[in-house]
Amino acid sequence: MDVEKLATLYQRRYNIMSKIGKETDEILLAAERQDNVSLDLLLDLRQESLGELETNDIEIRAMVEESVADAKLFRSLTTGGEGEEVFSNKWERKISELYHKVEAMLEEVKRKNKQIEFRAGRTKDYYAEKIFT
């Protein structure tokens, strides 16, 4: 496996996740303002970024699934805590670091998505109560 190319793919993945994180922040702000026009546009933008992330995931999987040895190396780079592994070169270290950063960003986006869902549900309930009372 070309670990340098895999590191490049993971750098791209990190950049895409950063973009998704920023878009999620903007969605959260638009939801707080109840700005539905901006919310629709931002959701479309984030959907495009999610498509980029899916394409990136396919590229990474194609590289990793080329052989059993590649899959084993990838598994060793992406499991365990940061700093616990012994790496044979800087690219392996970079892949591991980026993998853990992306995972942390993903958890943050999931947390913010729950806030967005809560606000959307609260808004619906408020309007439903106003309409039916």
Side-chain angles (χ1 to χ4, degrees):
M1 171 172 34
D2 182 359
V3 290
E4 187 174 346
K5 182 177 178 186
L6 185 59
T8 302
L9 288 171
Y10 257 96
Q11 182 64 52
R12 186 179 314 146
R13 185 177 195 82
Y14 175 79
N15 293 341
I16 294 167
M17 278 303 301
S18 294
K19 187 171 144 183
I20 290 171
K22 290 174 186 173
E23 291 167 348
T24 302
D25 289 340
E26 291 177 22
I27 289 169
L28 189 55
L29 290 173
E32 287 174 359
R33 292 188 317 262
Q34 297 180 357
D35 181 356
N36 292 333
V37 174
S38 295
L39 196 57
D40 287 342
L41 292 171
L42 290 166
L43 286 169
D44 288 343
L45 282 175
R46 189 171 75 163
Q47 189 61 40
E48 289 176 19
S49 297
L50 290 170
E52 291 175 30
L53 187 65
E54 184 177 1
T55 301
N56 178 263
D57 188 55
I58 291 168
E59 292 177 85
I60 290 172
R61 287 178 189 267
M63 275 192 74
V64 170
E65 294 173 353
E66 287 179 1
S67 72
V68 174
D70 291 346
K72 186 176 179 182
L73 173 61
F74 179 75
R75 198 170 35 255
S76 72
L77 295 175
T78 58
T79 56
E82 289 180 274
E84 294 176 11
E85 301 87 359
V86 177
F87 305 105
S88 62
N89 62 47
K90 68 178 181 177
W91 300 113
E92 290 180 2
R93 178 180 308 282
K94 180 90 170 157
I95 292 166
S96 182
E97 289 171 357
L98 288 169
Y99 176 84
H100 292 293
K101 286 180 181 180
V102 166
E103 289 299 308
M105 293 171 83
L106 180 60
E107 290 304 314
E108 183 66 17
V109 168
K110 286 179 182 179
R111 185 186 64 76
K112 289 177 183 175
N113 279 343
K114 287 181 182 178
Q115 289 178 325
I116 294 167
E117 289 174 26
F118 174 76
R119 285 192 173 85
R122 186 182 65 200
T123 302
K124 287 181 189 175
D125 290 343
Y126 173 77
Y127 288 127
E129 288 177 15
K130 290 291 184 187
I131 293 170
F132 296 116
T133 56

PDB file of all heavy atoms in Angstrom, residues 12 25 33 38 47 52-53 97 120 124-126 129 133:
ATOM      1  N   ARG A  12      -7.190  14.974   2.914  1.00  0.00           N
ATOM      2  CA  ARG A  12      -8.390  15.448   2.219  1.00  0.00           C
ATOM      3  C   ARG A  12      -9.626  15.177   3.069  1.00  0.00           C
ATOM      4  O   ARG A  12     -10.517  16.021   3.187  1.00  0.00           O
ATOM      5  CB  ARG A  12      -8.526  14.778   0.856  1.00  0.00           C
ATOM      6  CG  ARG A  12      -9.696  15.356   0.051  1.00  0.00           C
ATOM      7  CD  ARG A  12      -9.845  14.744  -1.317  1.00  0.00           C
ATOM      8  NE  ARG A  12      -8.601  14.638  -2.047  1.00  0.00           N
ATOM      9  CZ  ARG A  12      -8.323  13.634  -2.884  1.00  0.00           C
ATOM     10  NH1 ARG A  12      -9.204  12.675  -3.089  1.00  0.00           N
ATOM     11  NH2 ARG A  12      -7.181  13.595  -3.508  1.00  0.00           N
ATOM     12  N   ASP A  25     -21.981  24.270  12.042  1.00  0.00           N
ATOM     13  CA  ASP A  25     -22.075  25.445  12.921  1.00  0.00           C
ATOM     14  C   ASP A  25     -23.014  26.494  12.329  1.00  0.00           C
ATOM     15  O   ASP A  25     -23.839  27.072  13.040  1.00  0.00           O
ATOM     16  CB  ASP A  25     -20.694  26.070  13.145  1.00  0.00           C
ATOM     17  CG  ASP A  25     -19.795  25.225  14.020  1.00  0.00           C
ATOM     18  OD1 ASP A  25     -20.321  24.361  14.772  1.00  0.00           O
ATOM     19  OD2 ASP A  25     -18.561  25.419  13.959  1.00  0.00           O
ATOM     20  N   ARG A  33     -31.839  31.129  14.634  1.00  0.00           N
ATOM     21  CA  ARG A  33     -32.491  32.346  14.127  1.00  0.00           C
ATOM     22  C   ARG A  33     -33.822  32.039  13.453  1.00  0.00           C
ATOM     23  O   ARG A  33     -34.539  32.944  13.071  1.00  0.00           O
ATOM     24  CB  ARG A  33     -31.590  33.043  13.102  1.00  0.00           C
ATOM     25  CG  ARG A  33     -30.340  33.652  13.637  1.00  0.00           C
ATOM     26  CD  ARG A  33     -29.622  34.490  12.572  1.00  0.00           C
ATOM     27  NE  ARG A  33     -29.572  33.862  11.264  1.00  0.00           N
ATOM     28  CZ  ARG A  33     -28.545  33.182  10.764  1.00  0.00           C
ATOM     29  NH1 ARG A  33     -27.469  33.024  11.481  1.00  0.00           N
ATOM     30  NH2 ARG A  33     -28.587  32.681   9.548  1.00  0.00           N
ATOM     31  N   SER A  38     -31.885  30.350   4.674  1.00  0.00           N
ATOM     32  CA  SER A  38     -30.471  30.030   4.875  1.00  0.00           C
ATOM     33  C   SER A  38     -30.294  28.566   5.267  1.00  0.00           C
ATOM     34  O   SER A  38     -29.354  27.907   4.813  1.00  0.00           O
ATOM     35  CB  SER A  38     -29.867  30.909   5.977  1.00  0.00           C
ATOM     36  OG  SER A  38     -29.872  32.255   5.585  1.00  0.00           O
ATOM     37  N   GLN A  47     -24.815  18.732   2.254  1.00  0.00           N
ATOM     38  CA  GLN A  47     -25.061  17.482   1.538  1.00  0.00           C
ATOM     39  C   GLN A  47     -24.004  17.258   0.456  1.00  0.00           C
ATOM     40  O   GLN A  47     -23.540  16.139   0.260  1.00  0.00           O
ATOM     41  CB  GLN A  47     -26.471  17.483   0.927  1.00  0.00           C
ATOM     42  CG  GLN A  47     -26.875  16.150   0.361  1.00  0.00           C
ATOM     43  CD  GLN A  47     -26.892  15.053   1.417  1.00  0.00           C
ATOM     44  OE1 GLN A  47     -27.322  15.262   2.544  1.00  0.00           O
ATOM     45  NE2 GLN A  47     -26.405  13.884   1.064  1.00  0.00           N
ATOM     46  N   GLU A  52     -18.748  14.465  -1.053  1.00  0.00           N
ATOM     47  CA  GLU A  52     -17.282  14.460  -1.182  1.00  0.00           C
ATOM     48  C   GLU A  52     -16.663  13.484  -0.182  1.00  0.00           C
ATOM     49  O   GLU A  52     -15.716  12.767  -0.510  1.00  0.00           O
ATOM     50  CB  GLU A  52     -16.720  15.854  -0.927  1.00  0.00           C
ATOM     51  CG  GLU A  52     -17.038  16.882  -1.968  1.00  0.00           C
ATOM     52  CD  GLU A  52     -16.533  18.265  -1.571  1.00  0.00           C
ATOM     53  OE1 GLU A  52     -15.512  18.359  -0.860  1.00  0.00           O
ATOM     54  OE2 GLU A  52     -17.173  19.252  -1.963  1.00  0.00           O
ATOM     55  N   LEU A  53     -17.223  13.462   1.028  1.00  0.00           N
ATOM     56  CA  LEU A  53     -16.717  12.558   2.063  1.00  0.00           C
ATOM     57  C   LEU A  53     -16.940  11.103   1.659  1.00  0.00           C
ATOM     58  O   LEU A  53     -16.059  10.257   1.852  1.00  0.00           O
ATOM     59  CB  LEU A  53     -17.401  12.858   3.396  1.00  0.00           C
ATOM     60  CG  LEU A  53     -16.871  12.132   4.616  1.00  0.00           C
ATOM     61  CD1 LEU A  53     -15.436  12.555   4.913  1.00  0.00           C
ATOM     62  CD2 LEU A  53     -17.753  12.404   5.817  1.00  0.00           C
ATOM     63  N   GLU A  97      -2.721  10.050  13.179  1.00  0.00           N
ATOM     64  CA  GLU A  97      -3.121  11.329  13.786  1.00  0.00           C
ATOM     65  C   GLU A  97      -4.369  11.887  13.117  1.00  0.00           C
ATOM     66  O   GLU A  97      -5.307  12.325  13.789  1.00  0.00           O
ATOM     67  CB  GLU A  97      -1.983  12.346  13.692  1.00  0.00           C
ATOM     68  CG  GLU A  97      -0.821  12.040  14.596  1.00  0.00           C
ATOM     69  CD  GLU A  97       0.393  12.937  14.333  1.00  0.00           C
ATOM     70  OE1 GLU A  97       0.352  13.777  13.402  1.00  0.00           O
ATOM     71  OE2 GLU A  97       1.398  12.766  15.045  1.00  0.00           O
ATOM     72  N   ALA A 120     -35.255  22.010  16.006  1.00  0.00           N
ATOM     73  CA  ALA A 120     -36.291  21.806  14.990  1.00  0.00           C
ATOM     74  C   ALA A 120     -37.548  21.215  15.627  1.00  0.00           C
ATOM     75  O   ALA A 120     -38.662  21.653  15.338  1.00  0.00           O
ATOM     76  CB  ALA A 120     -35.776  20.890  13.886  1.00  0.00           C
ATOM     77  N   LYS A 124     -41.306  23.064  15.977  1.00  0.00           N
ATOM     78  CA  LYS A 124     -42.532  22.424  15.503  1.00  0.00           C
ATOM     79  C   LYS A 124     -43.566  22.371  16.612  1.00  0.00           C
ATOM     80  O   LYS A 124     -44.733  22.662  16.389  1.00  0.00           O
ATOM     81  CB  LYS A 124     -42.241  21.017  14.995  1.00  0.00           C
ATOM     82  CG  LYS A 124     -41.521  20.968  13.682  1.00  0.00           C
ATOM     83  CD  LYS A 124     -41.299  19.527  13.272  1.00  0.00           C
ATOM     84  CE  LYS A 124     -40.394  19.431  12.067  1.00  0.00           C
ATOM     85  NZ  LYS A 124     -40.094  18.042  11.737  1.00  0.00           N
ATOM     86  N   ASP A 125     -43.141  21.967  17.812  1.00  0.00           N
ATOM     87  CA  ASP A 125     -44.063  21.868  18.934  1.00  0.00           C
ATOM     88  C   ASP A 125     -44.659  23.229  19.272  1.00  0.00           C
ATOM     89  O   ASP A 125     -45.850  23.339  19.535  1.00  0.00           O
ATOM     90  CB  ASP A 125     -43.364  21.300  20.175  1.00  0.00           C
ATOM     91  CG  ASP A 125     -43.011  19.835  20.008  1.00  0.00           C
ATOM     92  OD1 ASP A 125     -43.580  19.196  19.108  1.00  0.00           O
ATOM     93  OD2 ASP A 125     -42.156  19.360  20.767  1.00  0.00           O
ATOM     94  N   TYR A 126     -43.842  24.271  19.243  1.00  0.00           N
ATOM     95  CA  TYR A 126     -44.307  25.611  19.569  1.00  0.00           C
ATOM     96  C   TYR A 126     -45.384  26.048  18.582  1.00  0.00           C
ATOM     97  O   TYR A 126     -46.444  26.522  18.970  1.00  0.00           O
ATOM     98  CB  TYR A 126     -43.137  26.596  19.544  1.00  0.00           C
ATOM     99  CG  TYR A 126     -43.556  28.034  19.698  1.00  0.00           C
ATOM    100  CD1 TYR A 126     -43.908  28.548  20.944  1.00  0.00           C
ATOM    101  CD2 TYR A 126     -43.628  28.874  18.587  1.00  0.00           C
ATOM    102  CE1 TYR A 126     -44.313  29.872  21.079  1.00  0.00           C
ATOM    103  CE2 TYR A 126     -44.011  30.193  18.719  1.00  0.00           C
ATOM    104  CZ  TYR A 126     -44.360  30.683  19.963  1.00  0.00           C
ATOM    105  OH  TYR A 126     -44.754  31.980  20.093  1.00  0.00           O
ATOM    106  N   GLU A 129     -48.622  24.040  18.973  1.00  0.00           N
ATOM    107  CA  GLU A 129     -49.417  24.504  20.113  1.00  0.00           C
ATOM    108  C   GLU A 129     -50.140  25.798  19.768  1.00  0.00           C
ATOM    109  O   GLU A 129     -51.311  25.971  20.126  1.00  0.00           O
ATOM    110  CB  GLU A 129     -48.522  24.747  21.332  1.00  0.00           C
ATOM    111  CG  GLU A 129     -48.015  23.473  21.971  1.00  0.00           C
ATOM    112  CD  GLU A 129     -47.069  23.767  23.120  1.00  0.00           C
ATOM    113  OE1 GLU A 129     -47.022  24.899  23.606  1.00  0.00           O
ATOM    114  OE2 GLU A 129     -46.355  22.817  23.516  1.00  0.00           O
ATOM    115  N   THR A 133     -54.356  25.728  19.610  1.00  0.00           N
ATOM    116  CA  THR A 133     -54.956  26.248  20.840  1.00  0.00           C
ATOM    117  C   THR A 133     -55.792  27.468  20.600  1.00  0.00           C
ATOM    118  O   THR A 133     -55.934  28.001  19.584  1.00  0.00           O
ATOM    119  CB  THR A 133     -53.869  26.596  21.870  1.00  0.00           C
ATOM    120  OG1 THR A 133     -52.959  27.509  21.307  1.00  0.00           O
ATOM    121  CG2 THR A 133     -53.196  25.365  22.354  1.00  0.00           C
TER     122      THR A 133
END
